[in-house]
């Protein structure tokens, strides 16, 4: 319960930052007025509860399935200088990539495999990972090419 409270508090803080950014982009000059702060606080409370509840539903709805037997070689920790990809045998993915001066992250269950490619996400919200070369042996290393990046398996996932 304590962890859930911390996660929700972090979520509300990020949601507040999004509201501030949106207000600044729309040219609002009254960001620090008490009216705006009260409105923002009310929106954060209402939207925060709705989004947190929706996330819980999606989390329960989007539970992953174990990797198919022909895709077990995908499991492991895969790394390059700009990308890290963890695929567990239970079908969970954690992905982080440095790209164009920012960081892209995706975490969730594998929904489907289509050929070598796989999609990760919850319900209709998903990301497709294009695997142009499935895991292969190269010298003493196992490699895989995902989204145009050559990754090296640095450890097996349990």
């Amino acid at each position: 319960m304590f962890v859930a409270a911390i996660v929700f508090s972090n979520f509300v803080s990020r949601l507040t930052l999004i509201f501030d950014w949106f207000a600044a982009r729309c040219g609002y000059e009254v960001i620090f007025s008490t009216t705006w702060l009260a409105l923002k606080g009310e929106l954060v409370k209402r939207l925060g509860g709705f989004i947190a509840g929706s996330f819980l539903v999606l989390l329960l709805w989007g539970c992953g399935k174990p990797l198919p037997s022909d895709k077990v070689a995908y499991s492991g920790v895969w790394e390059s200088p700009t990308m890290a990809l963890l695929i567990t045998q239970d079908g969970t993915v954690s992905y982080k990539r440095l790209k164009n001066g920012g960081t892209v992250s995706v975490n969730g269950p594998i929904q489907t495999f289509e050929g070598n490619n796989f999609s990760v996400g919850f319900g209709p919200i998903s990301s497709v990972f294009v695997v142009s070369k499935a895991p292969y042996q190269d010298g003493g290393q196992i490699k895989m090419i995902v989204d145009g990046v050559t990754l090296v398996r640095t450890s097996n996932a349990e």
Side-chain angles (χ1 to χ4, degrees), residues 25-44:
R25 296 285 290 175
C26 293
Y28 292 113
E29 302 273 333
V30 293
I31 294 174
F32 296 106
S33 76
T34 54
T35 305
W36 171 248
L37 290 174
L39 174 62
K40 184 174 69 171
E42 187 62 29
L43 286 172
V44 166

Side-chain angles (χ1 to χ4, degrees), residues 57-117:
V57 168
L58 288 174
L59 185 64
L60 295 174
W61 179 36
C63 293
K65 301 173 195 153
L67 291 177
S69 59
D70 63 329
K71 303 295 184 195
V72 171
Y74 282 56
S75 71
V77 178
W78 302 87
E79 295 179 309
S80 80
T82 60
M83 185 170 161
L85 175 66
L86 165 67
I87 303 173
T88 63
Q89 292 181 2
D90 71 357
T92 302
V93 171
S94 180
Y95 164 85
K96 187 175 244 183
R97 183 174 184 182
L98 302 173
K99 188 174 184 180
N100 299 328
T103 303
V104 177
S105 298
V106 176
N107 297 295
I110 293 177
Q111 291 181 325
T112 60
F113 277 95
E114 292 182 25
N116 288 334
N117 304 337

Side-chain angles (χ1 to χ4, degrees), residues 10-11 14 17-18 38-39 49 60 62 64 67 80 88-89 92 111 119 122 131 136 139 146 150:
N10 188 15
F11 170 75
R14 287 177 188 239
L17 289 173
I18 291 168
L39 174 62
L60 295 174
L67 291 177
S80 80
T88 63
Q89 292 181 2
T92 302
Q111 291 181 325
S119 65
F122 302 100
V131 180
Y136 64 97
V146 179
T150 301

Side-chain angles (χ1 to χ4, degrees), residues 114-135:
E114 292 182 25
N116 288 334
N117 304 337
F118 57 95
S119 65
V120 174
F122 302 100
I125 303 169
S126 66
S127 296
V128 175
F129 290 82
V130 178
V131 180
S132 51
K133 195 161 186 184

